[in-house]
Amino acid sequence: MGQTMVEKIVSRRVGRPVQIGEKIDRLPITKLFFNDVIGPPAIENFMADFGDIYDKAGKPAQVFDPKRVFFLPDHSVPTFSIRIAEGVKLMQSFSKERGIKCYKEGDGIEHVVLIEDGQIVPWDIVLGTDSHTDTNGALGTLAFGVGTTDAEYAMATGHLYDFVVPESVKFELTGVLPKGVFSKDIILHIIGMMGAGGCSKRVAEFTGPGVRSLTMDARTTMCNMAVEMSARTGIMAYDDVLADFLKDRAVWPVEPIDSDPDASYAETYTIDLSSLEPTVAFPNKPANTTPISQLQEMIDRSQREPTPDFVPVDDDTITDAFLGSCTNARYEDIVAGAEVMRGNKVHPDVNLIVIPASRKVYERAMDEGLLQVFVKAGANVESSNCGPCFGSHMGVMSGKSKMISTSNRNYKGRMGSPDARIFLASPATVIASAIEGRITDPRKYFE
């Protein structure tokens, strides 16, 4: 019996063949990164738990490999409180003393900049202190989020403890996306099909000719949201698109990876991309999805059959729009949004926030005149950060707000008030909606 990519990666790292369901006591990792939420307490715990050990050995406390550990202040930057500022300063000083790369505020979102900088390559085992670390699976890696304790011990030892090899679910993508339909629509469709827990504790493997037709920006969007159907992570194979992306970029050796043809899967699904249309997730769960052609039916259903996770929506109007986050603020997302916005204005009743995912994306969009399109249309363009996505700053929602966002979660209170309503959609759908003041099919802007 052949192996899935996950089985292959774990087998290589432990030095022997492994099976699904097998518990690995000590799994060696290859990359580890921290944001400004978990980084500071992880450093404090690391020094408290391991500092004495190093002191007794007459050595300064050191991480397992400074070249494989990264700190990225991205969630609450520019810092807006003394506590956050002190935490970022701790990350900077800890990194400088140990030769670790610590990015600057505004350099970008953790799930974007490490990929941009060629730090993530196939066969990696990547841990990050954020659930959307699964984004990195688009590069043929086993990548997932961990909490403070696991991250602290991984920083000291280079291992993740008590790891169980997960099953994989295969999503075979066929066909080609119609104009005006994007990878965000694919993953929202899949999440709606599977349900919030439909891939629980398993790995979502996206494969087939449909995947091979997608760009790297599109692929990272899909893997980013695998966790929204409770997947352990998402993963995609190495191919020519990834090879071109990593050429002259990769900092580490690159080697192809794919699952064996006779690998075993828990389930297999086929999705015809040509049959999809723009898709919207209703509050308060990413799995509450509907094709945009059935928007009114979904509104009626929300009023008729409300639950705590599927709350009533009065109509299709919006008050706020957000083009940003680790899900959909890469260069191609900004391009798609600008194509829709060009020659139009933000609706007078809508507040539109645009945040490129990294400094490199920001600079390229600025050089190409894309940011000017948004600014002149009446949008607020900000430096790279995660703020609005999790209700931290730069656009916190009031109780009467109705937001359409390119981010990954629309839980109750996620972006501010628990009484606000959050819809998820592609960049094109978000910008079209910002123009018209209501949730809008973007396809007419591509005719």
Side-chain angles (χ1 to χ4, degrees):
M1 178 67 69
Q3 289 186 310
T4 63
M5 283 184 278
V6 172
E7 291 173 288
K8 288 183 177 183
I9 293 170
V10 176
S11 296
R12 173 175 290 192
R13 294 303 166 195
V14 301
R16 59 176 175 79
V18 302
Q19 296 179 336
I20 291 170
E22 182 177 346
K23 182 179 178 182
I24 309 298
D25 293 334
R26 298 171 73 249
L27 176 65
I29 67 169
T30 61
K31 308 289 166 55
L32 173 66
F33 60 86
F34 298 82
N35 56 43
D36 51 299
V37 177
I38 301 298
I43 291 171
E44 292 172 348
N45 292 350
F46 172 82
M47 295 304 298
D49 292 339
F50 295 97
D52 289 345
I53 297 174
Y54 283 96
D55 286 342
K56 291 177 182 178
K59 299 179 179 179
Q62 183 58 282
V63 302
F64 78 99
D65 186 342
K67 293 182 180 180
R68 297 177 182 271
V69 179
F70 307 88
F71 286 90
L72 302 99
D74 63 355
H75 271 56
S76 299
V77 298
T79 56
F80 57 88
S81 74
I82 295 172
R83 180 185 62 81
I84 295 170
E86 293 290 353
V88 171
K89 184 64 67 176
L90 175 61
M91 289 166 56
Q92 292 170 340
S93 60
F94 180 85
S95 299
K96 188 174 183 179
E97 291 168 2
R98 290 158 181 82
I100 297 169
K101 173 69 174 179
C102 182
Y103 286 82
K104 292 177 61 177
E105 296 179 40
D107 280 350
I109 301 173
E110 56 195 321
H111 311 305
V112 177
V113 296
L114 292 180
I115 293 175
E116 281 182 339
D117 287 353
Q119 292 290 352
I120 309 300
V121 296
W123 293 92
D124 267 337
I125 295 182
V126 182
L127 303 186
T129 54
D130 185 273
S131 56
H132 294 103
T133 301
D134 56 353
T135 308
N136 297 276
L139 286 86
T141 75
L142 176 57
F144 44 86
V146 293
T148 308
T149 301
D150 280 335
E152 170 205 346
Y153 277 80
M155 181 161 52
T157 69
H159 290 84
L160 178 66
Y161 295 87
D162 299 330
F163 174 80
V164 177
V165 182
E167 293 181 304
S168 293
V169 176
K170 180 191 280 190
F171 295 93
E172 179 88 16
L173 274 56
T174 64
V176 178
L177 285 172
K179 201 166 187 178
V181 184
F182 299 87
S183 63
K184 181 64 164 285
D185 300 306
I186 303 173
I187 192 60
L188 286 176
H189 171 80
I190 292 174
I191 293 168
M193 177 182 75
M194 298 296 292
C199 206
S200 180
K201 299 180 180 179
R202 296 169 173 173
V203 172
E205 181 179 318
F206 303 105
T207 186
V211 169
R212 293 190 289 274
S213 71
L214 300 176
T215 65
M216 286 307 302
D217 282 359
R219 296 179 189 196
T220 52
T221 293
M222 290 189 60
C223 284
N224 174 274
M225 289 194 68
V227 70
E228 308 310 333
M229 52 183 171
S230 300
R232 194 75 170 92
T233 189
I235 196 168
M236 294 177 177
Y238 177 95
D239 65 0
D240 291 342
V241 173
L242 178 54
D244 288 343
F245 178 82
L246 292 174
K247 185 179 180 182
D248 300 325
R249 182 195 302 266
V251 176
W252 305 85
V254 176
E255 183 180 345
I257 185 172
D258 199 351
S259 295
D260 292 327
D262 58 342
S264 176
Y265 294 91
E267 297 174 285
T268 299
Y269 299 90
T270 301
I271 296 95
D272 178 7
L273 301 187
S274 66
S275 69
L276 301 185
E277 60 180 277
T279 301
V280 178
F282 270 52
N284 289 326
K285 188 185 293 183
N288 296 337
T289 64
T290 182
I292 203 160
S293 62
Q294 299 176 27
L295 190 69
Q296 187 58 52
E297 289 90 330
M298 194 70 162
I299 293 171
D300 294 343
R301 183 184 153 206
S302 76
Q303 297 169 353
R304 188 174 63 250
E305 305 170 10
T307 71
D309 288 332
F310 183 52
V311 293
V313 172
D314 294 333
D315 54 36
D316 63 357
T317 61
I318 59 164
T319 61
D320 295 84
F322 175 46
L323 171 51
S325 84
C326 61
T327 310
N328 273 126
R330 294 170 182 80
Y331 171 72
E332 291 178 4
D333 301 316
I334 303 298
V335 169
E339 185 174 351
V340 175
M341 180 59 78
R342 198 178 300 276
N344 294 292
K345 294 286 185 180
V346 177
H347 191 278
D349 296 333
V350 174
N351 179 45
L352 170 62
I353 299 170
V354 177
I355 301 183
S358 74
R359 193 182 301 276
K360 290 179 180 178
V361 172
Y362 193 109
E363 291 177 352
R364 183 176 179 184
M366 181 172 59
D367 291 344
E368 296 181 7
L370 302 177
L371 298 188
Q372 289 90 321
V373 171
F374 293 112
V375 171
K376 290 181 178 180
N380 298 302
V381 178
E382 311 294 346
S383 64
S384 302
N385 69 85
C386 302
C389 178
F390 72 118
S392 172
H393 68 317
M394 289 195 173
V396 177
M397 296 175 64
S398 71
K400 297 183 181 297
S401 298
K402 292 170 70 179
M403 163 75 81
I404 187 163
S405 171
T406 64
S407 54
N408 40 54
R409 287 181 174 160
N410 57 349
Y411 303 155
K412 182 178 180 179
R414 169 74 176 181
M415 302 181 77
S417 170
D419 296 322
R421 299 289 189 259
I422 308 169
F423 302 85
L424 304 179
S426 75
T429 301
V430 165
I431 298 303
S433 303
I435 293 167
E436 302 196 17
R438 61 183 63 248
I439 300 173
T440 299
D441 189 333
R443 288 176 290 190
K444 61 185 176 181
Y445 289 89
F446 293 93
E447 293 176 351

